[in-house]
Amino acid sequence: HIVQEGHGLDVTPKIIQRLRSAGDIDSATVLETILFEEVSHVTKGFKWFTHICQRDKLVFFIFIFFYISFHLK
């Protein structure tokens, strides 16, 4: 789930740019608000994910997460 939300952070600025170029300022503004809030949300989720993996010695899951994240970009 974190990977999907992170990917959303990657593509949303491009969508905002396209909406603005098409003259849809209202939709672009809404997406800017969502993007701003989502950055905080994903950051908190990532902190908890890594904390729990480290606490429970789940290094394998951290490796898989970073591997998938890197290859989805």
Side-chain angles (χ1 to χ4, degrees):
H1 191 71
I2 294 173
V3 173
Q4 291 171 334
E5 292 192 21
H7 181 67
L9 295 177
D10 291 339
V11 299
T12 301
K14 293 175 188 172
I15 296 170
I16 292 169
Q17 184 180 25
R18 288 181 182 172
L19 288 169
R20 286 197 179 281
S21 294
D24 190 352
I25 305 304
D26 291 340
S27 295
T29 302
V30 169
L31 280 181
E32 286 172 340
T33 301
I34 292 169
L35 178 63
F36 176 77
E37 293 173 357
E38 197 64 17
V39 169
S40 173
H41 173 78
V42 170
T43 300
K44 290 173 186 168
F46 178 73
K47 280 182 160 180
W48 276 107
F49 174 77
T50 55
H51 169 76
I52 290 168
C53 286
Q54 289 172 350
R55 181 196 68 196
D56 295 346
K57 310 227 184 302
L58 301 173
V59 177
F60 173 76
F61 290 106
I62 295 173
F63 170 78
I64 293 298
F65 172 76
F66 282 112
Y67 180 83
I68 291 171
S69 297
F70 178 76
H71 288 288
L72 283 180
K73 289 188 176 192

